Amino acid sequence: MNTKLSPSVFAANLATLADDLKILEENNVELLHVDVMDGHFVERMAFGADHIAMLKKMTSMPLDVHLMIERPENHIEAIAAAGADIITIHVESTTRLYSCLQKIRKLGKKCGVVLSPGTPAEAISCVAHLVDMVLIMTVNPGEGGQHFLPDMTDKIMKVRSIVGPSVDVEVDGGIDAGNIAQCHRAGANVFVSGGYLFKGDKAANIRAMREAIA
Ligand code: DX5
Ligand code: ZN
């Protein structure tokens, strides 16, 4: 499967965002990861539909929108209308997971499910045929700059064996040039990176991540 980088805009310096997005585009980054946080499902708040609409105008990179919100079913339409290309929903965040995924597909967007570290791989088994992507959190959701949880590697392998080769398996949290290869070997092919990728020379960090999985 094609490998893809999805830099997390949550870690970007908003004062230099336009220039940073240009660097990501020049380096052929495949996706832009946008974290939506509501202050309930996770403590922090970040990026709503208006910000997604703004990002959509600023970049041609497809927007990979990670919803960390309660009752995602109430916000899917607004997030899709704002310009999300992929919308991922935490299995822990709703009792209506199946219908959320149907709704996203009906709106013509790609959909995915997200697993927090305490949720087993098997939680996706009844929706695996509906999704374009499974996102495995490799830190507890809600904060950037945390340490990668190495025991999530086993879950990556399990998820890959459930979904087969044609579904994207994304990892998010503490990913850097040092641990990306072990996630790739376990079966992940989409890599979110915030704190590592946006610190210092972004182009060099992107190159280092790509070289580690080449
Ligand atoms: C964490 C977010 C991540 C975060 C990744 O809850 O979902 O997308 O921005 O940042 P790093 O790579 O710094 O862990
Ligand atoms: Zn995220």
Side-chain angles (χ1 to χ4, degrees), residues 140-206:
N140 290 306
E143 281 292 341
Q146 302 179 72
H147 287 296
F148 173 74
L149 297 169
D151 50 341
M152 292 300 116
T153 314
D154 189 46
K155 184 151 68 174
I156 300 170
M157 289 193 277
K158 284 189 183 145
V159 165
R160 177 54 81 193
S161 75
I162 293 170
V163 299
S166 57
V167 169
D168 281 326
V169 175
E170 180 175 50
V171 284
D172 179 10
I175 303 295
D176 60 28
N179 56 33
I180 189 171
Q182 79 181 77
C183 297
H184 184 235
R185 276 195 302 273
N189 70 303
V190 185
F191 307 93
V192 176
S193 180
Y196 169 78
L197 194 150
F198 280 95
K199 195 169 175 197
D201 184 340
K202 293 156 202 76
N205 298 340
I206 291 167

Side-chain angles (χ1 to χ4, degrees), residues 4-207:
K4 302 172 197 173
L5 295 184
S6 191
S8 177
V9 78
F10 185 62
N13 177 356
L14 295 186
T16 58
L17 184 61
D19 291 339
D20 291 350
L21 291 178
K22 221 174 283 166
I23 295 172
L24 302 182
E25 284 174 359
E26 283 164 7
N27 286 275
N28 304 312
V29 154
E30 290 82 0
L31 299 167
L32 185 67
H33 187 82
V34 187
D35 290 306
V36 178
M37 305 185 190
D38 66 352
H40 295 282
F41 183 71
V42 292
E43 278 171 28
R44 299 276 294 263
M45 294 199 272
F47 302 115
D50 294 341
H51 303 102
I52 292 169
M54 180 197 76
L55 287 165
K56 193 71 188 170
K57 286 190 194 141
M58 293 175 76
T59 179
S60 57
M61 287 180 282
L63 302 181
D64 163 26
V65 178
H66 173 192
L67 297 186
M68 281 169 275
I69 60 177
E70 286 181 1
R71 299 188 189 280
E73 52 273 19
N74 296 344
H75 302 278
I76 288 168
E77 271 150 22
I79 298 284
D85 295 280
I86 307 171
I87 302 175
T88 60
I89 307 269
H90 271 263
V91 303
E92 309 85 7
S93 69
T94 177
T95 52
R96 304 188 205 166
L97 184 63
Y98 199 101
S99 72
C100 281
L101 297 170
Q102 287 177 312
K103 199 175 199 176
I104 298 168
R105 293 202 88 99
K106 217 167 164 190
L107 291 164
K109 307 294 181 176
K110 290 190 172 175
C111 68
V113 278
V114 191
L115 298 171
S116 285
T119 307
E122 292 73 21
I124 64 163
S125 52
C126 290
V127 295
H129 62 294
L130 287 179
V131 301
D132 303 286
M133 174 138 90
V134 178
L135 166 48
I136 298 158
M137 291 304 299
T138 45
V139 297
N140 290 306
E143 281 292 341
Q146 302 179 72
H147 287 296
F148 173 74
L149 297 169
D151 50 341
M152 292 300 116
T153 314
D154 189 46
K155 184 151 68 174
I156 300 170
M157 289 193 277
K158 284 189 183 145
V159 165
R160 177 54 81 193
S161 75
I162 293 170
V163 299
S166 57
V167 169
D168 281 326
V169 175
E170 180 175 50
V171 284
D172 179 10
I175 303 295
D176 60 28
N179 56 33
I180 189 171
Q182 79 181 77
C183 297
H184 184 235
R185 276 195 302 273
N189 70 303
V190 185
F191 307 93
V192 176
S193 180
Y196 169 78
L197 194 150
F198 280 95
K199 195 169 175 197
D201 184 340
K202 293 156 202 76
N205 298 340
I206 291 167
R207 268 198 306 279

